[in-house]
Amino acid sequence: GTAVTAVLAAARNGQNTLGVAFDATILSLNTADPSQCTDDDGCKHPDSAIAAAVDRARLNGAKVVNLSLGGDG
């Protein structure tokens, strides 16, 4: 998610990367269930938490949503 955010919204400040939407506002939401995180497998992202995050983004006026969840399907 961090790398995607940098490509999208890196500041227009004359320093290396310039985001394609440098004036964008980023709303970062973590859908991981902390009780289901392990060192070996990382964190699980319940479908209900993902749906709630997308809905929260929509309610906050998001025009673009990126799901950088990683891991196995």
Side-chain angles (χ1 to χ4, degrees):
T2 304
V4 172
T5 299
V7 170
L8 293 176
R12 185 177 205 171
N13 61 7
Q15 301 292 318
N16 300 323
T17 303
L18 169 64
V20 256
F22 51 82
D23 284 333
T25 299
I26 300 297
L27 174 63
S28 177
L29 302 168
N30 185 345
T31 60
D33 180 344
S35 69
Q36 295 184 355
C37 297
T38 67
D39 290 339
D40 293 331
D41 297 327
C43 297
K44 300 206 182 296
H45 299 266
D47 291 346
S48 59
I50 296 168
V54 170
D55 198 43
R56 179 169 291 186
R58 178 190 63 83
L59 291 172
N60 280 279
K63 294 181 176 88
V64 175
V65 173
N66 172 59
L67 301 176
S68 294
L69 300 175
D72 293 335

